[in-house]
Amino acid sequence: LKISDKIIQSILNKLGFKISKNGSKYKVFPPTWRHDIENEADIIEEIVRIYGYDKIPSESIYVSSEKEVNNLCQTRELNIKRSLIQRGLTETVTWSFMSNKNAEIFGMNNNLEIQNPISNDLDVMRKSIIPNFLDAVRYNIDNGEEKVCLFELGPIFDSKSENNQQIFLSGIRCGQSKKHWLKKERPYDIFDVKLDLETILRRCKLPPKSYVLNNDAPSYYHPKKSGSINFLNKSKGGFFGEVHPDITKKFQIIYLLNLITNQACI
């Protein structure tokens, strides 16, 4: 919208502004009672308000006709999320930080400490999403939600890693299984999260012959109720199972799934 200099000066003068012009630039002094005038945008607003908003020409919003193009990694992530949602899990986003206390419970050492944490309970970068999940599930249980099924695709941080950051997919199930007219409700178990994991592998077009199941899950899993996925190229695909009883005593939560989904694995 173009407004002549004469009209601009007339509007500002009538509003109590003092104006001095230097070439093509204005120096504007607002009246003492206008404490809301702080910058150029405020002055422009005053001019247009008096000149008339109805005199601003209408323009249609530009809409691109180009279709969104996702790369292979983005397409894979979207497919994984859809698979877990279809399995009854809800996507969530937790802090990229965690408490050093929870890290010690999970046996995580050499953590990346934060010099200026936003909270004393968020003082190190997370090495796993699972501790944050346990806090989230415990919060839901304390507020009366007995069935909690969550997943998150996000970064974890490790000082020993070359890049210090990897993208992980983690999920957790707590409570009773979904009601079904042919089946009775039952507590979630290791086979539920194993099926979650296998569903994701199938969605990523990985045949069963491309990986094997082992029992070398991390120490924070139950030693007899957990497992791992290993690909034939000897790379680690992920872990699943029941949380170790010592940790469930502290968090009062049972089953979870932790699956790596970076490009090196899937």
Side-chain angles (χ1 to χ4, degrees):
L1 179 65
K2 293 183 179 181
I3 306 175
S4 67
D5 292 353
K6 184 178 180 180
I7 295 177
I8 290 175
Q9 293 182 35
S10 175
I11 291 174
L12 293 178
N13 285 329
K14 289 177 181 179
L15 292 174
F17 289 81
K18 293 182 180 180
I19 306 171
S20 63
K21 189 175 182 182
N22 184 11
S24 60
K25 294 184 178 181
Y26 286 98
K27 185 176 288 186
V28 180
F29 301 91
T32 56
W33 62 87
R34 292 300 302 273
H35 301 290
D36 58 320
I37 305 298
E38 297 180 350
N39 52 44
E40 180 182 356
D42 295 330
I43 298 172
I44 294 173
E45 181 181 0
E46 291 298 306
I47 297 169
V48 178
R49 180 171 63 88
I50 301 301
Y51 185 74
Y53 290 121
D54 57 308
K55 296 179 181 178
I56 301 175
S58 300
E59 292 185 9
S60 60
I61 299 175
Y62 172 75
V63 179
S64 175
S65 60
E66 297 180 359
K67 293 184 179 180
E68 183 180 357
V69 178
N70 295 327
N71 59 35
L72 178 61
C73 183
Q74 292 171 328
T75 302
R76 181 187 295 119
E77 291 180 1
L78 184 60
N79 289 337
I80 288 173
K81 290 180 179 181
R82 285 175 175 170
S83 296
L84 290 177
I85 292 172
Q86 290 170 357
R87 290 275 302 154
L89 280 79
T90 301
E91 184 177 10
T92 186
V93 178
T94 63
W95 293 106
S96 293
F97 327 113
M98 62 184 295
S99 69
N100 194 46
K101 178 182 177 181
N102 285 352
E104 291 177 353
I105 292 175
F106 277 76
M108 299 174 183
N109 302 316
N110 301 320
N111 299 299
L112 292 171
E113 296 185 1
I114 303 172
Q115 293 182 353
N116 56 340
I118 60 177
S119 169
N120 292 332
D121 295 331
L122 301 169
D123 52 353
V124 297
M125 303 301 292
R126 66 184 183 187
K127 281 189 173 181
S128 170
I129 303 176
I130 296 174
N132 290 5
F133 267 161
L134 298 183
D135 281 335
V137 172
R138 182 175 58 187
Y139 176 83
N140 278 271
I141 292 175
D142 290 344
N143 285 273
E145 185 62 48
E146 297 181 355
K147 176 186 174 183
V148 184
C149 300
L150 305 172
F151 78 91
E152 179 179 353
L153 180 64
I156 65 169
F157 306 85
D158 192 346
S159 58
K160 294 182 179 180
S161 174
E162 293 182 2
N163 300 325
N164 288 340
Q165 178 177 323
Q166 289 180 301
I167 301 299
F168 267 62
L169 173 69
S170 292
I172 187 167
R173 288 185 179 272
C174 176
Q176 300 286 325
S177 63
K178 187 177 181 180
K179 291 183 179 180
H180 192 279
W181 69 283
L182 288 176
K183 299 178 182 179
K184 295 182 179 180
E185 282 189 323
R186 57 171 179 78
Y188 286 116
D189 56 28
I190 182 176
F191 299 104
D192 291 301
V193 292
K194 179 175 178 287
L195 182 57
D196 291 334
L197 189 150
E198 290 177 338
T199 300
I200 294 170
L201 295 176
R202 288 197 300 269
R203 193 64 181 262
C204 293
K205 299 181 180 180
L206 290 170
K209 294 182 180 179
S210 64
Y211 58 87
V212 294
L213 294 176
N214 291 326
N215 59 353
D216 56 344
S219 59
Y220 50 80
Y221 285 95
H222 192 297
K224 302 296 183 181
K225 297 180 181 179
S226 59
S228 65
I229 290 284
N230 293 278
F231 296 110
L232 298 183
N233 61 2
K234 298 183 179 180
S235 63
K236 189 72 67 177
F239 314 101
F240 63 95
E242 182 180 328
V243 183
H244 195 284
D246 291 342
I247 296 179
T248 59
K249 290 179 182 179
K250 296 180 174 63
F251 287 91
Q252 300 179 356
I253 301 171
I254 304 177
Y255 302 107
L256 68 146
L257 142 78
N258 182 26
L259 175 64
I260 304 172
T261 58
N262 53 16
Q263 281 190 313
C265 296
I266 293 180

